[in-house]
Amino acid sequence: MRKIGVLCSGGDAPGMNAAIRAVVRRAASLELETTGIRNGYAGLLRGELVPLGPRDVGNIVQFGGTILGTARSREFYRPEGRARAAQVLREAGIEGLVVIGGDGSYRGAQLLAAEHGIHVVGIPGTIDNDIPGTDATIGFDTAVNTALDAIDRLRDTAEALGRLFFVEVMGRSTGFLAAHVALAGGADQVLVPEVPTDIEALCRRIRDEVGKKKRSAIVVVAEGDDAGGAVDIARRIKDDLSIDSRVCVLGHIQRGGKPTARDRILAARLGARAVEALAAGRSGVAVGERKGVVVEVPFDEVFREQKPLELEFVDLAEKLSG
Ligand code: F6P
């Protein structure tokens, strides 16, 4: 192999730049050239290629977002789209592709490998942490810390005025962010999609426990909770609470900002390993970190698994909310 490509796909996550840097620089140290592909699979279809040498990825490790841009592409998920993508890659002499993204992006990569023989390796990048095959995804730790910082600030005003805040964090179908943020932030309640929400019980608990014992409180709501988002839930129970309440939806703020040391280190290790895997002729795997060790997990295994939420975090957050 002489040349590899790298792209970001799906939602951006802080630490993607650190991963791009690691890919380009590890490739250079193995005497491989790297081509950056702008704007994900959509950009690949349009031939948006840019050569990336070690100096092109200097001074980016500290920034969120991605210097390559990212996108979600419908066209790539059609066979004709992937045929076009393979043609673009072949014409550019790119034999191996590193895809930084979520499991939807992995599925596209796997099809590209199966149908057109392009070697592919995935790097897990999403703030949702919902990709099996790795204990943490790139961006998760930063997003947890960003949301935590917001909660700490909300506590100041909540306590000052004696209010309850419903704080919505991202997580369309999983509650990793919510559970970690709630436990770290000392929330009184946490609502996640994995646990059915009983609105009446929630209301009772807030009335009986929070209302009587505390001046302020925080309820963390994952955006994909089965009972709805924070705005919905707050609207439904506002009038039954004995405490004044407000809603704060953190939204895309959680996606940006300086990646934490933890995310940068993860990105460095996974970026380097992805290139080593390609250089060694391996394909159809996602790199990840399990119990501190960098691993390669076949895509099939990643797709078969369901990453379990740490339900004990939810439980413990409530037990400690006293
Ligand atoms: O990247 C994952 C994620 O941040 C989810 O938590 C969220 O539901 C979604 O992306 C938002 O996507 P978009 O940026 O397209 O609004």
Side-chain angles (χ1 to χ4, degrees):
M1 183 160 312
R2 283 191 32 252
K3 198 192 270 186
I4 63 168
V6 57
L7 61 77
C8 297
S9 171
D12 55 287
M16 280 184 164
N17 282 325
I20 294 167
R21 170 181 178 270
V23 166
V24 172
R25 297 222 169 136
R26 184 64 183 118
S29 69
L30 290 169
E31 297 183 355
L32 298 174
E33 284 175 47
T34 307
T35 297
I37 298 154
R38 290 199 195 279
N39 304 315
Y41 292 125
L44 174 58
L45 293 174
R46 296 191 294 262
E48 296 176 7
L49 310 182
V50 43
L52 287 179
R55 293 312 324 144
D56 298 318
V57 290
N59 206 21
I60 63 169
V61 78
Q62 71 273 36
F63 297 123
T66 154
I67 59 160
L68 288 175
T70 182
R72 298 187 172 103
S73 165
R74 289 229 177 99
E75 209 187 328
F76 183 78
Y77 288 89
R78 289 198 283 271
E80 317 82 70
R82 289 190 296 276
R84 166 88 192 116
Q87 188 192 351
V88 172
L89 291 170
R90 266 195 298 270
E91 281 171 11
I94 298 169
E95 296 158 87
L97 184 64
V98 176
V99 173
I100 308 171
D103 62 351
S105 314
Y106 289 0
R107 282 177 203 278
Q110 195 190 33
L111 290 169
L112 189 67
E115 294 165 357
H116 303 284
I118 308 283
H119 281 204
V120 294
V121 172
I123 297 181
T126 165
I127 66 162
D128 287 352
N129 197 31
D130 58 351
I131 307 179
T134 187
D135 294 341
T137 56
I138 296 168
F140 177 62
D141 187 60
T142 307
V144 169
N145 281 289
T146 302
L148 191 58
D149 179 59
I151 287 182
D152 291 347
R153 287 163 194 265
L154 288 171
R155 277 191 179 283
D156 293 345
T157 177
E159 187 67 13
L161 278 154
R163 283 175 171 165
L164 176 143
F165 267 85
F166 293 92
V167 185
E168 183 180 297
V169 298
M170 274 188 165
R172 212 176 351 215
S173 45
T174 52
F176 290 99
L177 255 175
H180 284 240
V181 163
L183 186 54
D188 299 87
Q189 283 278 295
V190 51
L191 311 180
V192 292
E194 291 85 347
V195 181
T197 296
D198 177 342
I199 288 284
E200 271 162 28
L202 170 72
C203 201
R204 239 185 349 260
R205 189 173 156 142
I206 295 173
R207 251 195 336 256
D208 295 351
E209 306 216 358
V210 177
K212 291 191 184 138
K213 292 195 238 159
K214 297 180 180 178
R215 188 172 157 77
S216 68
I218 302 282
V219 175
V220 173
V221 183
E223 68 171 320
D225 187 67
D226 59 304
V231 173
D232 260 8
I233 293 176
R235 187 180 34 77
R236 279 161 68 189
I237 65 176
K238 197 175 174 45
D239 296 339
D240 295 328
L241 300 177
S242 48
I243 181 170
D244 192 17
S245 68
R246 292 289 185 276
V247 176
C248 182
V249 177
L250 299 182
H252 290 79
I253 285 171
Q254 295 158 100
R255 284 249 289 267
K258 243 170 126 69
T260 57
R262 207 175 166 139
D263 273 331
R264 298 185 205 191
I265 291 167
L266 183 64
R269 296 182 82 198
L270 299 189
R273 179 60 172 267
V275 176
E276 289 158 12
L278 283 177
R282 295 192 289 279
S283 175
V285 295
V287 292
E289 193 189 73
R290 279 177 165 166
K291 298 192 193 321
V293 178
V294 175
V295 294
E296 291 170 28
V297 182
F299 281 149
D300 285 337
E301 210 175 295
V302 173
F303 302 148
R304 250 197 327 270
E305 280 178 30
Q306 187 83 31
K307 189 171 187 174
L309 175 71
E310 301 93 337
L311 288 175
E312 71 272 20
F313 282 24
V314 174
D315 191 47
L316 188 57
E318 284 172 22
K319 282 196 179 110
L320 300 185
S321 73

